[in-house]
Amino acid sequence: MSETKVNQFLKTPVKVVNIGLEGFAKELEQQGVTVVQVDWAPPAGGDPKLADLLSKLGT
Amino acid sequence: MSKVIINDVRRGFYLDSVALMRFSRTIAELEGVDEAALMMGTPANRQIMSDAGLLDDAGRAAEGGDLVIGIRARDQKSADQALAESRAMLDQPTARGADAAAWHPRTLRAALKLEPDADLALISVPGDFAIAEARKAIRRGLHAMIFSDNVDIRDEVALKQEAQELGLLVMGPDCGTAIINGTPMAFANRVTQGTIGIVGASGTGTQEVSCLVSQYGGGISHAIGVGGRDLTPEVGAISTLMAIDALDGDAATEHIVLVSKPPKPGVAAKVLDRIAKSKKPATVCFIGAEESPMPTNVTQVFTLKEAARSALALDAGDADLAAIHVPSHRTRVEGLFSGGTLCAEAQFIFHAADEPVASNAPVPGVPVLGKTANGHLMLDLGADEYTRGKPHPMIDPSVRDEILIDALKNEEVGVILADVVIGFGAHEDPAGHFTNVLQEHHTEDGPAIVASVTGTEEDPQVRSAQMAKLETAGVHVAPTNADAARWALSAIRSRG
């Protein structure tokens, strides 16, 4: 059986994109984890339905 | 009584919920202010503000990308002063955090250009937007951990199905705790690495089990959070089954522990069938469930403490608990919990001992609050009714203060039972906060106080230091949450 993506994920040091609370990124950084913080703001002018649609279109 | 409601809307101005809750509290504490909230104007948040009597027409017209300041004050002058103070806080360069000057990419796509090997998106944006971000993440090949709650369950199902087809794991929504390959994520503890793999549909349940395993000399390979609704019939345990597959195939994991509220029989059967196919031994803790038939490789346990001990093949490990004197007229135990599963564990222990107990978040067999008289109370203070528009008590322990002070003054209450949860994500000194309240409001002839600390010596708050603070303040500190519940039970039964 070939190794699954989840098993590969569990075998290697985790590398994180943190979208939201900056405190989580800081705590990961302090532990030496590779983490990129996204300076997130509500997309699509803050319209959740439009944001949902855009994510389905891959933007 | 005249009240003034005042709103101010900043178009296209975003701050995260932790920063906004901090500001909200500062403004709400100003002289003459009854209530105040600074929130992003998403539909869910506008509803919270409306329910709190904080919205006028300007706030009602706000959109998700707008920041709404809502203030209700005694008079116009107080309202104006609070508004001026709010504006000044938002205009400070540090409003966006100490790291405001640093450049960060604004989208996941840009972040992946910086770190193309990233394999996990940790998502804690408002629930209305969380699925959209998670969908982008899985379509770019990342696993997702969704801390955000208030996500529609249909969106959760669709996302998890898509991720499953892609072979990717979705932890959450409402997943507070995970430990991946030794790294604690969000609300988790620094535990010893080892051979016990946890699948947890409950954040504090996973924290307590992982910390106790560590404390008993074992270690954790991974703790995979799946979110509180993964084992519902609607979601069908998609992430739980993927997590069990992963731990089954993981060379570092020798024993699998599953912690969850009791699932419906169909879901339980599906999950147990999967575990039965594994060659690895497993421990299942459906907290509050009755004993039921299990596959031969599975041990069923009923408390988090038992889960940790069973995973390490240890005996029950009954703690030696000294007698606590409770006067006979004080007949009730009141449990004030920040951790939902710790509250469930205490309920189970009281219910199994045939004590009348009620809760706002009842386990099977326990009535919901208000349905019985004269019983013990176990309150989950992290439940929606206590945290709507407010921080979780693990982040801000002051959520517990008022109800703690009431319990301290209540002549019926013989024992107050409490949890202190430390670790990453949690408050920097929850025991210190708790004992400050006790110093001000606890008298010698008041209720006895029993507590435990969920955490490890390696956590930033240091478990033994938190325990010492509690003990100095006269709190009876038990080695585990289950022991604390049993101690409270024994104290109230032997009162006189």
Side-chain angles (χ1 to χ4, degrees), chain B residues 181-236:
Chain B
N181 211 353
T183 302
M185 319 279 308
F187 286 79
N189 305 82
R190 192 185 283 289
V191 299
T192 311
Q193 267 191 279
T195 58
I196 312 295
I198 302 175
V199 182
S202 117
T204 43
T206 301
Q207 286 190 269
E208 175 82 347
V209 175
S210 61
C211 291
L212 291 180
V213 163
S214 205
Q215 199 178 306
Y216 296 149
I220 300 298
S221 55
H222 313 280
I224 300 176
V226 294
R229 296 187 305 208
D230 193 67
L231 286 103
T232 58
E234 291 90 333
V235 185

Side-chain angles (χ1 to χ4, degrees), chain A residues 21-38:
Chain A
L21 303 173
E22 218 174 326
F24 288 157
K26 288 198 176 129
E27 288 183 333
L28 288 168
E29 257 171 27
Q30 283 163 11
Q31 298 176 71
V33 176
T34 302
V35 52
V36 184
Q37 171 70 23
V38 171

Side-chain angles (χ1 to χ4, degrees), chain A residues 2-15:
Chain A
S2 66
E3 192 175 49
T4 65
K5 288 179 187 171
V6 184
N7 278 110
Q8 284 169 10
F9 169 58
L10 295 183
K11 259 171 58 177
T12 47
V14 63
K15 295 191 179 69

Side-chain angles (χ1 to χ4, degrees), chain A residues 1 3-31 33-49 51-59, chain B residues 14 16-18 63-65 96 99 104-108 111 114-115 117-126 128-129 132-133 135-136 139-140 143 147 166-169 180-181 183-187 190 222 242 246 249-250 424-425:
Chain A
M1 197 175 74
E3 192 175 49
T4 65
K5 288 179 187 171
V6 184
N7 278 110
Q8 284 169 10
F9 169 58
L10 295 183
K11 259 171 58 177
T12 47
V14 63
K15 295 191 179 69
V16 180
V17 176
N18 186 52
I19 309 168
L21 303 173
E22 218 174 326
F24 288 157
K26 288 198 176 129
E27 288 183 333
L28 288 168
E29 257 171 27
Q30 283 163 11
Q31 298 176 71
V33 176
T34 302
V35 52
V36 184
Q37 171 70 23
V38 171
D39 188 9
W40 189 87
D47 179 346
K49 286 199 174 106
D52 198 58
L53 188 62
L54 288 173
S55 77
K56 286 177 179 160
L57 297 173
T59 52
Chain B
Y14 178 76
D16 72 48
S17 55
V18 170
E63 294 178 357
R96 286 169 187 272
D99 197 24
H104 296 296
R106 296 183 64 90
T107 63
L108 173 66
L114 283 180
E115 190 52 59
D117 295 337
D119 53 5
L120 178 72
L122 173 52
I123 297 164
S124 55
V125 302
D128 294 330
F129 297 96
E133 295 301 328
R135 187 182 293 117
K136 288 185 223 173
R139 289 187 179 179
R140 287 184 163 80
H143 305 277
F147 178 79
L166 295 166
L168 296 164
L169 185 66
I180 303 297
N181 211 353
T183 302
M185 319 279 308
F187 286 79
R190 192 185 283 289
H222 313 280
M242 288 181 74
D250 177 53
F424 293 100

